[in-house]
Amino acid sequence: MARLRRKACIALFLFTLFIFGTMMGLRTLKPSDGFSDLAPGLDLLPMIAGKVDRRSVSRDATTSPGQAHPPGTNTKAVISNSGPEGIIFYDVHIFYYTWYGSPHMDGKYIHWDHILVPHWDPKIASSYPRGRHMPPEDIGSSFYPELNPYSSRDPDVLESHMEQIGASAAGVLVLSWYPPGLADDNGEPAEDLVPALLDAAYRHNLKVAFHIQTYRGRTDQSVHDNIKYIIDRYGDHGAFYKFTSSTGKNLPMFYIYDSYLTPPESWSEFLTPTGSHSVRGSAYDSIFIALIVEERHKHDILAGGFDGMYTYFASNGFSFGSSHQNWKAIKAFCDGNNLLFIPSVGPGYIDTSIRPWNNHNTRNRVNGRYYETALQAALNVRPEIVTITSFNEWHEGTQIERAVPKKTVTRVYLDYQPHGPDHYLDLTRRWAEQFNKEKEQWLM
């Protein structure tokens, strides 16, 4: 009898453990209550507190790299030189990073040897390891790239990346950009890579937009100077992305990361028609998309003169902007104020390889179900553009780039099994096609 009771207790314990594990798995598909302690990808900085028509994406596949995009075209998808299906869509944008380096091309590893970022609270920081990663066996990522810890300067890597992005059906890569001579705290300047990237994108019928990053001394005036530099230098390239209005006017599009760090009063000097150094109506007029993190940012974005907002973060429930449940309200606000709402979706999130104390913001991939949940949430609000976070932000585990299983003496990396390395490229293509089918029905 006692043995029977023990067996019953063991069975009950195992059943309870199964239920707990299932609930934890389902939790990854739901937003958490309120805000988490840290925005994934933020630089740990304190938060600081003339519109356009609805536009559709344009592309002319016949222009050469040195030619400007001809006005009046309104092609939303073209045949790509990548992938078996060959169709890519210019209303699917994907964030892209060129900050990686390897000894073969750069004389050393860059970014793959990322430091372990200490927590800002010394008491918490003392409980976690310090130092930096030691590639190639130990890299600053929870996943391991099929291309190994590569250099962004490697022409073969660029070709592979363009092929993979084309296979995913995303038509516009959004390049993380710093001005010449500047870089993030863990990288080195890479602005000189832009011409090679534009040429590689052009060979695959892809377009390139620019994601203006935070840098020391960034102001509304310095961003104005950045826009002039980019358009003067790259605006006539055949792969330079432009957005076409219903009136046929082509304008470049710029995403401004951490836009909330500059007050709206300053942005309005640059982005409203009456501003002291207004870009509106000039040769440098563009579509400017701000980052929404907190709910109050939507009013700041409107007051600052931006043309729309995006959410970037792939951790559902982390912030107001990244929480799927808030997208309907954000979209309604944008519709009411003639702004674009561009939701950002990602396959998951895990940055504990560089922020070991941040596991509460981890979002498990659940073999792709987390990604599909995010994609469906985006389509539900009928956006004009969807952004993917990301192609290759390996530190935060948001990449859809090909990854492979990897086990070393000290580490076991995550992977995409039981699926293959192309799993998230394939899912992106499937949903890009679904997105464009649904858009046709919305128009009808």
Side-chain angles (χ1 to χ4, degrees):
M1 192 70 180
R3 185 178 302 146
L4 184 61
R5 280 199 297 271
R6 281 198 298 273
K7 289 183 177 179
C9 289
I10 290 171
L12 181 60
F13 173 75
L14 292 174
F15 177 73
T16 303
L17 192 63
F18 169 76
I19 293 298
F20 177 75
T22 302
M23 294 301 293
M24 290 299 292
L26 290 174
R27 180 181 176 276
T28 66
L29 299 178
K30 297 180 179 180
S32 60
D33 295 329
F35 292 92
S36 298
D37 297 332
L38 171 71
L42 289 179
D43 293 326
L44 311 183
L45 294 172
M47 292 187 180
I48 303 173
K51 299 298 169 270
V52 297
D53 295 332
R54 286 294 193 188
R55 292 174 165 85
S56 56
V57 185
S58 86
R59 173 70 164 102
D60 179 6
T62 63
T63 55
S64 67
Q67 289 178 319
H69 193 298
T73 58
N74 196 29
T75 306
K76 294 185 179 181
V78 299
I79 302 298
S80 170
N81 298 328
S82 304
E85 291 84 356
I87 302 297
I88 54 178
F89 302 96
Y90 296 103
D91 49 10
V92 179
H93 298 187
I94 188 163
F95 294 108
Y96 185 83
Y97 294 84
T98 56
W99 56 24
Y100 300 106
S102 70
H104 173 65
M105 297 295 298
D106 308 275
K108 61 182 178 179
Y109 285 107
I110 303 173
H111 258 273
W112 300 113
D113 64 343
H114 202 289
I115 65 166
L116 297 171
V117 180
H119 195 277
W120 57 85
D121 185 335
K123 291 182 179 179
I124 297 176
S126 65
S127 301
Y128 292 94
R130 299 287 293 271
R132 68 168 58 245
H133 292 278
M134 298 181 67
E137 297 297 286
D138 171 34
I139 65 172
S141 174
S142 294
F143 295 85
Y144 204 85
E146 183 184 67
L147 295 175
N148 294 309
Y150 54 75
S151 170
S152 297
R153 296 183 179 277
D154 189 331
D156 293 335
V157 168
L158 269 182
E159 279 301 306
S160 176
H161 283 179
M162 298 306 107
E163 179 271 324
Q164 291 183 56
I165 293 172
S168 78
V172 179
L173 62 95
V174 183
L175 172 64
S176 178
W177 187 86
Y178 292 87
L182 299 181
D184 70 286
D185 292 340
N186 295 282
E188 296 191 359
E191 207 282 330
D192 61 309
L193 273 171
V194 175
L197 179 68
L198 285 165
D199 289 346
Y202 181 81
R203 289 192 292 271
H204 291 265
N205 283 336
L206 301 173
K207 286 288 195 179
V208 178
F210 288 77
H211 195 193
I212 310 297
Q213 296 294 313
T214 54
Y215 52 83
R216 188 180 300 276
R218 192 183 79 172
T219 65
D220 54 292
Q221 182 60 62
S222 73
V223 172
H224 194 163
D225 295 339
N226 299 155
I227 299 307
K228 289 181 178 179
Y229 174 89
I230 291 170
I231 292 177
D232 286 344
R233 195 171 182 88
Y234 309 120
D236 288 338
H237 196 287
F240 186 77
Y241 176 69
K242 291 183 179 179
F243 202 59
T244 304
S245 73
S246 57
T247 60
K249 188 175 182 181
N250 294 331
L251 293 174
M253 176 179 282
F254 294 95
Y255 292 84
I256 311 297
Y257 186 69
D258 278 1
S259 49
Y260 57 81
L261 294 176
T262 299
E265 297 79 21
S266 297
W267 285 125
S268 67
E269 297 296 333
F270 169 42
L271 297 177
T272 62
T274 58
S276 60
H277 60 102
S278 176
V279 74
R280 299 307 185 185
S282 74
Y284 303 101
D285 199 358
S286 303
I287 312 301
F288 296 95
I289 309 299
L291 177 65
I292 177 171
V293 179
E294 297 182 7
E295 183 174 11
R296 65 185 176 90
H297 291 159
K298 64 186 183 183
H299 301 287
D300 293 342
I301 289 167
L302 178 63
F306 285 94
D307 303 296
M309 58 191 76
Y310 73 117
T311 61
Y312 185 77
F313 302 116
S315 187
N316 179 27
F318 152 71
S319 70
F320 176 84
S322 71
S323 296
H324 306 162
Q325 64 185 7
N326 296 325
W327 287 355
K328 183 177 180 181
I330 299 173
K331 178 63 158 56
F333 176 86
C334 289
D335 287 348
N337 290 282
N338 202 21
L339 299 170
L340 288 167
F341 175 53
I342 304 179
S344 305
V345 301
Y349 186 91
I350 180 168
D351 68 352
T352 50
S353 66
I354 63 168
R355 302 183 188 102
W357 38 266
N358 196 35
N359 61 349
H360 57 282
N361 277 320
T362 294
R363 298 294 181 266
N364 297 327
R365 293 193 175 214
V366 203
N367 294 328
R369 293 201 296 278
Y370 179 91
Y371 194 28
E372 295 196 89
T373 299
L375 287 159
Q376 184 60 67
L379 267 59
N380 286 346
V381 299
R382 299 188 174 189
E384 194 146 337
I385 294 171
V386 171
T387 48
I388 308 297
T389 307
S390 64
F391 178 74
N392 64 338
E393 219 298 8
W394 288 89
H395 305 309
E396 296 179 347
T398 63
Q399 81 290 334
I400 68 167
E401 183 183 354
R402 294 177 186 133
V404 293
K406 174 80 170 179
K407 183 178 181 180
T408 72
V409 174
T410 58
R411 294 190 63 179
V412 178
Y413 290 90
L414 301 176
D415 55 56
Y416 303 162
Q417 290 185 341
H419 305 285
D422 291 293
H423 181 52
Y424 292 95
L425 302 175
D426 295 340
L427 282 179
T428 305
R429 170 168 288 280
R430 185 190 313 167
W431 280 88
E433 292 171 347
Q434 180 65 26
F435 177 36
N436 277 268
K437 287 179 183 177
E438 292 192 14
K439 285 181 78 172
E440 292 177 2
Q441 297 175 354
W442 304 340
L443 293 174
M444 291 174 61

